Amino acid sequence: MIKKEEVFKIGRLGKAHGVKGEVSFHFDDDIFDRVECEYLVLEIDGILVPFFMEEYRFRNGYLAFVKFRDVDTQERASELTGCDVYFPRDLAAAEDEMPILSMLVGFSIIDAATNKSIGVIEDVNDQTANILFELDNGALIPASDELIMNIDTEHEEIVMNIPEGLLEI
């Protein structure tokens, strides 16, 4: 059984495309194209299920059409509409030197000045020019290279220089 901590979200499936089982895939990260992996993990009714890809093709920088094995009809593809899509953390970590931002969900933020945890990343907000870590305590921390001192993937911790007064906002 695949556990949520073993994967990270890379996108969401859209509508069926065509009649042969293709589905549109709105992705935040093209790791599935850069790292050798035959499957993507879909969340179906709260359960993480691997789906093996037969092929995929890019429409643009954030949309691809994916054909999964054993999904051969428009009806079957339509059943997958809205599923969140995940990628295995271990495969991504082995390939990339620096973790992908969405992989950092679940990591603790450690204040370099006090060496204390200030919260756990619940989400990465990249909807604006300034990417933010959304913490479990409601705090928003800029995901800036200038503030990040160290990323410890083994202990799932990020040591950051937190600007004075930021946590009081």
Side-chain angles (χ1 to χ4, degrees), residues 28-47:
D28 300 321
D29 191 323
D30 67 350
I31 186 93
F32 65 97
D33 187 51
R34 294 179 286 130
V35 175
E36 187 71 31
C37 186
E38 296 179 351
Y39 65 94
L40 295 174
V41 178
L42 306 184
E43 185 172 15
I44 299 175
D45 297 328
I47 299 171

Side-chain angles (χ1 to χ4, degrees), residues 35-65:
V35 175
E36 187 71 31
C37 186
E38 296 179 351
Y39 65 94
L40 295 174
V41 178
L42 306 184
E43 185 172 15
I44 299 175
D45 297 328
I47 299 171
L48 297 172
V49 181
F51 274 73
F52 290 83
M53 295 181 287
E54 284 184 9
E55 62 184 6
Y56 61 88
R57 57 191 166 91
F58 289 98
R59 171 80 193 265
N60 54 40
Y62 56 87
L63 179 66
F65 297 115

Side-chain angles (χ1 to χ4, degrees), residues 14-161:
K15 298 181 195 176
H17 181 77
V19 294
K20 297 191 180 191
E22 270 190 324
V23 63
S24 61
F25 172 31
H26 304 269
F27 59 90
D28 300 321
D29 191 323
D30 67 350
I31 186 93
F32 65 97
D33 187 51
R34 294 179 286 130
V35 175
E36 187 71 31
C37 186
E38 296 179 351
Y39 65 94
L40 295 174
V41 178
L42 306 184
E43 185 172 15
I44 299 175
D45 297 328
I47 299 171
L48 297 172
V49 181
F51 274 73
F52 290 83
M53 295 181 287
E54 284 184 9
E55 62 184 6
Y56 61 88
R57 57 191 166 91
F58 289 98
R59 171 80 193 265
N60 54 40
Y62 56 87
L63 179 66
F65 297 115
V66 180
K67 171 72 176 74
F68 292 110
R69 190 179 310 155
D70 299 325
V71 178
D72 297 325
T73 66
Q74 183 178 16
E75 292 77 24
R76 179 68 178 114
S78 292
E79 294 173 7
L80 302 177
T81 297
C83 288
D84 286 335
V85 180
Y86 296 85
F87 195 82
R89 284 182 185 269
D90 59 343
L91 294 177
E95 180 68 20
D96 288 339
E97 278 184 30
M98 284 302 293
I100 299 156
L101 285 175
S102 54
M103 278 182 63
L104 301 177
V105 171
F107 279 46
S108 294
I109 300 289
I110 308 297
D111 183 357
T114 64
N115 205 29
K116 294 186 181 190
S117 175
I118 60 168
V120 176
I121 300 172
E122 279 192 338
D123 197 13
V124 177
N125 183 334
D126 61 358
Q127 301 301 311
T128 64
N130 296 321
I131 298 171
L132 300 170
F133 292 135
E134 296 179 6
L135 304 187
D136 59 347
N137 58 14
L140 297 173
I141 306 295
S144 166
D145 289 340
E146 292 81 36
L147 299 179
I148 297 173
M149 296 181 62
N150 184 43
I151 299 175
D152 182 347
T153 55
E154 184 177 335
H155 296 101
E156 295 190 348
E157 294 180 339
I158 302 171
V159 178
M160 296 183 73
N161 280 322

